[in-house]
């Protein structure tokens, strides 16, 4: 298998050097670079891998540059090992060679453009610039990577951008061979500043909110939420707990301070139907149904990009003054809603606000006025019997 190339290897490196020069000076050879003049033989050699192939490739490039006149070697650089082709630099960075060519053309990377006799353009670039670019690429993040570093959602990250808590590197100074827009070191510095701004707790525990929960699900007032983010960045609102290994989304802040600032910015304190259900233990679909029926005074808006019923605390209190949830009454009386409905029907009292679910119904409400009348009737009967 190696007999055809044996003469080139036995008299090393003289025979090999002569072979390279013979191919270079062949009448069929055209161009100024090794790739152009040595043709298919050179291309096949460069595809080989392993220590022997590396030695042959290095020797071939050395002869082409120092004896034959390769444009790469004649680019005005004494140390050929300090320079690589655009194609090799692109392979090292994992990008298209055209991006390095553009970087050299615009002066961002140190290199040189040359053209062969056949009109082909060849580019070399400083190996040190390739290494610097490789390091820079590792420090630049895209949006997804930046969100993961901070531990926040897509929507929250967009709000952080709008609040100028984080910012991309300006497009005019962005390296053409770098994909990401966000400087990892700058993001880390921002998080470090917030982590160092810990508020003294004095051993007093208070309700806290995780940073990841500060979104449009917390308030529908975006301007107020942006003000909270800016206050956290500036240190006006300080974290109550933010461990050295935690991401920004894990940092805990005073719920009272957050609520006070939201209120000061004019943010409504309305709760969603889901939040009311979570607080009261009622079924979310029942709360939503009562809102739709007008039994709970509420407004229809959007929270976190989704439609939602918004209920003010005063309106929730008014609902609780006017109605009792039958399921709660039945639980307190150690009976069932069905049995209680039957007993009430015997007294001429019917429930309201029920939502049909298949063959049954949920969310029965009992008017407080009916209960008061029932109690009054019972007292009168008891007095007459006495």
């Amino acid at each position: 298998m190696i007999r055809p190339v044996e003469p080139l290897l036995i008299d090393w490196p003289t025979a090999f050097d002569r072979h390279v020069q013979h191919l270079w000076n062949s009448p069929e050879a055209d161009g100024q670079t090794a790739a152009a003049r040595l043709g298919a033989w050179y291309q096949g050699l460069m595809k080989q891998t392993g220590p022997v192939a590396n030695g042959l490739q290095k020797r071939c490039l050395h002869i082409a540059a120092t004896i034959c006149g390769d444009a790469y070697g004649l680019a005005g650089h004494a140390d050929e090992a300090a320079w690589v082709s655009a194609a090799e630099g692109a392979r090292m960075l994992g990008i298209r060679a055209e991006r390095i060519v553009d970087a050299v053309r615009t002066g961002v990377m140190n290199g040189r453009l040359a053209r062969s006799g056949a009109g082909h353009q060849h580019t070399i670039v400083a190996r040190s610039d390739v290494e610097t670019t490789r390091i820079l690429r590792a420090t630049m993040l895209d949006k997804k990577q930046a969100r993961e570093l901070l531990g926040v959602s897509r929507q929250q990250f967009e709000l952080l951008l709008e609040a100028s808590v984080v910012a991309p590197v300006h497009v005019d100074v962005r390296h053409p061979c770098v994909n990401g827009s966000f400087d990892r070191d700058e993001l880390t510095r921002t998080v470090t500043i917030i982590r160092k701004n810990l508020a003294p707790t004095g051993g007093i525990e208070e309700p806290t909110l995780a940073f990841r929960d500060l979104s449009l699900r917390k308030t529908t007032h975006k301007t107020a939420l942006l003000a909270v983010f800016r206050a956290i960045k500036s240190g006006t609102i300080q974290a109550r707990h933010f461990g050295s290994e935690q991401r920004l989304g894990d940092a805990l802040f005073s719920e009272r301070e957050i609520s006070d600032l939201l209120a000061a910015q004019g943010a409504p304190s309305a709760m969603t139907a889901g939040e009311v259900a979570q607080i009261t233990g009622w079924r979310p679909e029942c709360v939503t149904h009562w809102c739709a029926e007008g039994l709970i005074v509420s407004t229809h808006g959007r929270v976190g990009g989704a439609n939602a019923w918004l209920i003010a605390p005063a309106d929730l209190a008014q609902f609780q003054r006017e109605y009792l949830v039958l399921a709660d009454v039945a639980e307190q009386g150690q009976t069932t809603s069905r049995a209680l409905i039957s007993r009430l029907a015997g007294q001429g009292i019917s429930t309201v606000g029920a939502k049909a679910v298949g063959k049954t119904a949920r969310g029965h409400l009992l008017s407080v006025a009916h209960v008061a009348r029932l109690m009054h009737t019972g007292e009168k009967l008891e007095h007459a019997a006495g």
Side-chain angles (χ1 to χ4, degrees):
M1 182 179 65
I2 67 170
R3 186 170 291 118
V5 297
E6 183 180 3
L8 306 182
L9 304 178
I10 293 299
D11 186 15
W12 176 264
T14 304
F16 182 84
D17 295 350
R18 288 174 180 171
H19 183 69
V20 172
Q21 294 176 60
H22 173 73
L23 292 175
W24 186 280
N25 296 318
S26 170
E28 293 81 16
D30 184 29
Q32 298 179 1
T33 67
R37 297 190 67 87
L38 303 182
W41 180 85
Y42 173 87
Q43 296 168 16
L45 175 63
M46 291 302 161
K47 289 180 181 178
Q48 306 306 309
T49 59
V52 174
N54 291 340
L56 294 174
Q57 293 163 0
K58 184 176 181 180
R59 186 65 185 178
C60 174
L61 292 173
H62 173 74
I63 296 302
T66 59
I67 297 178
C68 300
D70 189 321
Y72 289 173
L74 298 179
H77 308 294
D79 184 6
E80 63 180 270
W83 303 87
V84 295
S85 67
E88 175 63 12
R91 186 192 65 77
M92 295 166 63
L93 297 177
I95 61 175
R96 293 179 293 105
E98 290 83 352
R99 296 178 67 176
I100 290 185
V101 174
D102 289 340
V104 171
R105 181 184 295 114
T106 56
V108 176
M109 297 181 75
N110 183 23
R112 178 170 174 177
L113 304 174
R115 289 193 175 275
S116 67
H120 299 297
Q121 179 174 271
H122 305 283
T123 304
I124 59 171
V125 63
R127 188 183 294 272
S128 59
D129 272 24
V130 174
E131 177 61 19
T132 299
T133 304
R134 184 189 67 78
I135 296 173
L136 181 61
R137 282 174 59 84
T139 65
M140 296 299 291
L141 310 177
D142 58 24
K143 279 190 175 183
K144 180 180 179 181
Q145 293 169 325
R147 292 198 307 268
E148 291 174 349
L149 176 68
L150 298 176
V152 299
S153 66
R154 180 184 287 105
Q155 182 195 74
Q156 194 175 32
F157 186 77
E158 294 299 329
L159 291 171
L160 291 174
L161 282 172
E162 190 171 347
S164 298
V165 174
V166 299
V169 175
H170 196 279
V171 65
D172 292 341
V173 297
R174 204 173 298 165
H175 197 290
C177 294
V178 172
N179 297 333
S181 304
F182 297 90
D183 188 332
R184 183 185 62 193
D185 294 339
E186 185 62 32
L187 293 176
T188 302
R189 276 192 291 271
T190 298
V191 173
T192 300
I193 292 173
I194 295 173
R195 180 180 287 115
K196 288 182 177 179
N197 280 332
L198 279 180
T201 60
I204 301 175
E205 294 187 4
E206 60 176 313
T208 57
L209 281 172
F211 187 90
R212 65 167 56 87
D213 294 328
L214 299 176
S215 67
L216 291 177
R217 294 179 180 177
K218 176 65 178 173
T219 174
T220 57
H221 199 298
K222 186 171 76 169
T223 302
L225 187 60
L226 297 181
V228 169
F229 288 148
R230 296 187 185 104
I232 289 175
K233 181 180 181 181
S234 66
T236 304
I237 292 181
Q238 299 174 319
R240 289 299 187 268
H241 184 271
F242 194 177
S244 60
E245 300 301 321
Q246 290 182 311
R247 297 182 294 176
L248 179 59
D250 302 319
L252 298 179
F253 296 86
S254 167
E255 185 173 3
R256 177 186 56 79
E257 287 189 2
I258 298 295
S259 298
D260 288 348
L261 182 53
L262 289 174
Q265 293 292 322
S269 57
M271 297 175 287
T272 65
E275 289 170 335
V276 169
Q278 185 176 12
I279 293 171
T280 60
W282 302 333
R283 291 179 180 272
E285 62 269 25
C286 292
V287 179
T288 301
H289 178 68
W290 298 332
C291 290
E293 292 295 311
L295 296 169
I296 301 179
V297 177
S298 57
T299 58
H300 203 235
R302 292 182 67 81
V303 177
N307 294 326
W309 290 102
L310 302 175
I311 306 165
D315 293 325
L316 177 60
Q318 181 62 33
F319 171 76
Q320 291 176 308
R321 283 194 295 268
E322 294 179 0
Y323 298 101
L324 295 173
V325 177
L326 194 69
D328 293 346
V329 176
E331 183 179 357
Q332 293 295 323
Q334 297 183 342
T335 183
T336 65
S337 295
R338 181 172 298 179
L340 195 53
I341 291 173
S342 178
R343 291 173 57 187
L344 290 169
Q347 299 293 329
I349 298 176
S350 59
T351 62
V352 296
K355 177 184 180 181
V357 180
K359 295 182 179 181
T360 184
R362 292 175 181 169
H364 292 273
L365 297 175
L366 184 61
S367 171
V368 172
H370 286 169
V371 175
R373 187 167 61 251
L374 180 62
M375 293 175 62
H376 181 65
T377 301
E379 288 176 357
K380 287 171 55 177
L381 291 174
E382 184 178 350
H383 179 72

